[in-house]
């Protein structure tokens, strides 16, 4: 029984990869075609006159199950060279002894020739992916040519480390072979540069160099949101209603504030804020002895960070409405409520100093001047110190 085996088999198809060569005319292109030669070898047998290498090709068609003779080569060597198209084949080597007699032929051996397509990578998008927790979650779109199913894809570190191969679900070629997706679903990579290598089933490959894996930057908000509450006593400055009260300091007061501010720039931070105030008046010395002042306003903020961003100097300017409520006066025998409750426009400006701690919380100390546009002359005005505690998101 003839014992043979294939010692060298380079079963690449007749890959007619033909780059344009010479342009002789604007409408005529000349191409050079080159075939790939396969060599099939077998073990030598003693006392042999010659060998006959026989190969047959499988019939094409859904119902075909036979083979058609393709080639018969008689040789005294232990190998045969041929050029086969892609497809399924069977072959065997028949031995003739020194008397020219054919020995019993061996069983057929099967052979499959696959297309030797040259993959081409024209672009990879995105060229850089982010690394988070030692893993990459991204989908790359590769454009090129001959990106066929069954290809092997690996990432080779540019520094010479071990390559990392994608599993079967990580490579999804398009229907036309001109595109493919590379899916990195938690792929363990390190920061650095990689070569993306795509190797087609025929063994021919192409590479895309300098694909970058970088540490993903922390997501930053375009602005900060702040909330704060404050203790806000009131000091009267001038105005007819303040003359009725007969005193200048009213310690009962509070405020709430929320706003949005942009990120710090070289020239500072700008923002907008809404603020609400409540104050309580009380006096025992004049005819006007009690009342409340409500105030809602919208401020524009300018902030300059100082002391390595641990503190800030703030300037605010804005306006809104003031509302006097439950103003009461005393007579000789009774208390009377004034019915002049109404919304009055007002303007305000302030300066303050903030101190940030633990990145989220801050304390703020400042003073605000407000002027209320009233029908009484002179119109009322106040100084309003603020001791504020807040946080930012």
């Amino acid at each position: 029984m003839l014992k043979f085996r294939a010692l060298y088999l380079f079963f690449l198809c007749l890959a007619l990869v033909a780059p344009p060569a010479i342009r002789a005319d604007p409408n005529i292109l000349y191409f050079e075609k080159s075939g790939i030669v396969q060599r099939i070898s077998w073990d030598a047998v003693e006392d042999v006159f010659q060998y006959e290498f026989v190969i047959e090709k499988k019939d094409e068609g859904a119902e075909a199950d036979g083979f058609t003779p393709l080639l018969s080569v008689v040789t005294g060597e232990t190998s045969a060279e041929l050029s086969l198209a892609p497809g399924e084949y069977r072959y065997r080597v028949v031995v003739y002894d020194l008397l020219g007699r054919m020995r019993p032929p061996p069983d057929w051996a099967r052979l499959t020739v696959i297309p030797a397509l040259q993959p081409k990578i024209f672009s990879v998008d995105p060229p850089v992916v982010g690394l988070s927790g030692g893993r990459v979650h991204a989908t790359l779109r590769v454009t090129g040519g001959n990106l066929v199913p069954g290809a092997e894809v690996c990432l080779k570190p540019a520094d010479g480390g071990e390559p990392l191969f994608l599993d079967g679900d990580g490579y999804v070629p398009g229907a036309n072979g001109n595109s493919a997706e590379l899916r990195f679903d938690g792929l363990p990579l390190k920061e650095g540069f990689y070569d993306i290598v795509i190797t087609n089933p025929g063994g021919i490959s192409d590479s895309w160099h300098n694909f970058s894996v970088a540490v993903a930057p922390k997501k930053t908000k375009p602005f900060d949101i702040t909330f704060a509450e404050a203790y806000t006593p009131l000091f009267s400055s001038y105005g007819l209603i303040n003359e009725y009260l007969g005193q200048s300091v009213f310690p009962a007061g509070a405020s709430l504030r929320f706003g949005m501010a942009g990120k710090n720039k070289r020239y500072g931070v700008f923002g907008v804020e809404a603020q609400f105030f409540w104050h309580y008046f009380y006096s025992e010395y004049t005819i006007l002895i009690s009342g409340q002042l409500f105030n809602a306003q919208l401020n524009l903020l300018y902030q300059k960070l100082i002391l390595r961003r641990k503190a800030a100097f703030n300037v605010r300017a804005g306006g809104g409405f003031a509302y006097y409520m439950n103003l009461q006066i005393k007579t000789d025998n009774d208390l009377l409520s004034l019915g002049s409750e109404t919304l009055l426009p007002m303007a305000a400006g302030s300066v303050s100093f903030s101190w940030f701690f633990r990145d989220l919380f801050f304390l703020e100390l400042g003073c605000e001047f407000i002027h209320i546009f009233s029908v009484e002359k002179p119109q009322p005005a106040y100084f309003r110190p603020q001791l504020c505690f807040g946080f930012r998101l």
Side-chain angles (χ1 to χ4, degrees), residues 134-149:
R135 303 259 175 190
V136 173
H137 297 268
T139 298
L140 308 184
R141 179 171 178 81
V142 179
T143 59
N146 294 328
L147 303 175
V148 299

Side-chain angles (χ1 to χ4, degrees), residues 35-360:
I36 297 179
V37 176
Q38 300 99 11
R39 171 177 291 180
I40 298 179
S41 302
W42 55 88
D43 291 336
V45 179
E46 294 182 356
D47 301 327
V48 172
F49 173 64
Q50 62 185 14
Y51 303 95
E52 182 182 9
F53 175 78
V54 181
I55 187 167
E56 297 179 351
K57 187 174 194 251
K58 184 175 176 59
D59 296 335
E60 298 180 356
E63 299 179 356
D65 57 0
F67 288 82
T68 301
L70 180 66
L71 182 66
S72 177
V73 177
V74 177
T75 178
E77 305 296 330
T78 57
S79 64
E81 292 184 352
L82 59 158
S83 182
L84 301 176
E88 294 186 28
Y89 299 85
R90 69 179 183 180
Y91 71 95
R92 64 185 176 185
V93 179
V94 180
V95 178
Y96 293 85
D97 62 18
L98 295 177
L99 298 179
R101 295 173 300 186
M102 183 180 69
R103 294 181 181 178
D107 294 333
W108 292 97
R110 292 300 184 98
L111 171 66
T112 301
V113 177
I114 58 178
L117 298 176
Q118 168 70 60
K120 291 292 183 182
I121 305 176
F122 299 150
S123 66
V124 173
D125 184 45
V128 180
V129 294
L131 181 67
S132 179
R135 303 259 175 190
V136 173
H137 297 268
T139 298
L140 308 184
R141 179 171 178 81
V142 179
T143 59
N146 294 328
L147 303 175
V148 299
E152 182 182 75
V153 181
C154 74
L155 279 76
K156 293 183 177 180
D159 59 7
E162 290 294 326
L164 183 64
F165 291 86
L166 297 186
D167 56 24
D169 296 332
Y171 171 70
V172 182
N176 57 8
N178 295 329
S179 65
E181 286 187 354
L182 305 184
R183 297 174 180 175
F184 299 169
D185 188 13
L187 198 65
L189 295 174
K190 297 180 180 180
E191 186 177 10
F193 292 95
Y194 291 80
D195 294 340
I196 299 176
V197 182
I198 299 179
T199 304
N200 275 346
I204 303 178
S205 64
D206 192 21
S207 300
W208 181 265
H209 303 288
N210 295 329
F211 174 72
S212 178
V213 175
V215 175
K218 294 182 179 179
K219 294 183 179 180
T220 59
K221 305 184 298 296
F223 51 82
D224 288 331
I225 298 177
T226 60
F227 297 88
E229 57 183 12
Y231 168 61
T232 55
L234 199 64
F235 291 79
S236 63
S237 176
Y238 51 79
L240 182 61
I241 191 171
N242 297 324
E243 295 176 2
Y244 291 159
L245 290 169
Q247 64 185 62
S248 59
V249 180
F250 306 97
S255 75
L256 292 175
R257 183 180 76 209
F258 66 89
M260 295 187 300
K263 293 300 181 180
N264 183 48
K265 304 294 183 181
R266 179 179 56 84
Y267 44 80
V269 177
F270 292 92
V272 61
E273 298 174 334
Q275 197 162 7
F276 305 91
F277 295 88
W278 168 82
H279 302 281
Y280 180 71
F281 301 110
Y282 183 78
S283 174
E284 295 181 348
Y285 307 107
T286 63
I287 60 171
L288 180 61
I289 63 170
S290 67
Q292 299 180 67
L293 173 63
F294 292 90
N295 170 208
Q297 64 190 60
L298 190 67
N299 297 325
L300 297 179
L301 166 70
Y302 171 74
Q303 183 179 81
K304 182 64 176 178
L305 296 177
I306 57 177
L307 302 179
R308 298 182 179 180
R309 302 185 181 183
K310 294 293 186 180
F313 175 73
N314 312 294
V315 176
R316 293 179 175 88
F321 294 93
Y323 183 66
Y324 288 102
M325 181 178 178
N326 294 333
L327 297 179
Q328 294 182 332
I329 62 174
K330 67 178 179 179
T331 64
D332 294 338
N333 300 316
D334 203 356
L335 291 175
L336 298 177
S337 296
L338 297 179
S340 60
E341 299 173 359
T342 185
L343 287 176
L344 301 173
M346 50 83 61
S350 69
V351 293
S352 64
F353 177 82
S354 300
W355 179 263
F356 302 100
F357 56 98
R358 294 189 178 180
D359 294 331
L360 294 179

